[in-house]
């Protein structure tokens, strides 16, 4: 009866294979602690990314990263990853589409770093949140912008030595 039942249903779907990346055994191998950590990190990135959709920053990329982590912990979220990935990659291509956009991004990154130093040194004491905690976050944001800009450029235009 088991053989007949297997023949009726056909081979297992790729998602149901024990070695598949999203199959039941892959999900069951995650410990509850790892699942909670993935969900927490994914949720955090998702919230920060959503805020950066209206604030200046790489919002779609952080939303994508958050969804990818969250989908590892909660498989039902996986259906949102591909649509967001498509939009994020279109935004990545647009961010390095012209020399002017790249120059604008570089200037924005430099402005963030300079603003971080000014705020950190408390040169504008009338600012409500001056000091190195705010300054360091501005400087870090500038370096993150440079990193994402470099990644976007390499993704769209290829690496200079590889091709």
């Amino acid at each position: 009866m088991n053989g007949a039942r297997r023949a009726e249903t056909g081979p297992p779907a790729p998602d149901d294979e024990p070695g598949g990346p999203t199959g039941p055994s892959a999900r069951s191998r995650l410990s509850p602690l790892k699942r909670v950590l993935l969900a927490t990190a994914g949720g955090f990135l998702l919230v920060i990314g959503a805020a950066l959709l209206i604030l200046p920053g790489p919002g779609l990329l952080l939303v994508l990263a958050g969804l990818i982590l969250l989908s590892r912990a909660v498989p039902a979220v996986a259906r949102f990853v591909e649509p967001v990935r498509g939009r994020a990659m279109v935004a990545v291509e647009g961010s390095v589409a012209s020399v002017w956009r790249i120059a604008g991004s570089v200037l924005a990154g430099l402005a963030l770093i300079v603003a971080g130093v000014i705020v950190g040194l408390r040169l504008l004491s009338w600012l409500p949140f001056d000091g190195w905690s705010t300054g360091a976050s501005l400087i870090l944001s500038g370096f993150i912008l440079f990193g994402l800009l470099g990644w976007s450029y390499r993704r769209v235009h290829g690496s200079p030595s590889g091709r």
Side-chain angles (χ1 to χ4, degrees), residues 17-37:
E17 290 180 9
T22 59
S25 65
R27 287 190 295 268
S28 64
R29 281 184 283 194
L30 288 178
S31 70
L33 177 63
K34 189 172 182 180
R35 212 176 277 234
V36 167
L37 289 175

Side-chain angles (χ1 to χ4, degrees), residues 35-94:
R35 212 176 277 234
V36 167
L37 289 175
L38 283 171
T40 302
F44 178 74
L45 287 175
L46 190 62
V47 168
I48 297 299
L52 289 178
L53 288 174
I54 55 172
L55 298 171
L60 272 178
L61 290 176
L62 286 179
V63 167
L64 176 62
L67 283 175
I68 289 171
L69 288 178
L70 201 54
S71 70
R72 296 278 320 267
V74 182
V77 175
R79 66 185 176 148
F80 299 110
V81 171
E82 284 309 312
V84 172
R85 183 186 315 262
R87 287 183 174 223
M89 292 306 119
V90 167
V92 162
E93 291 171 5

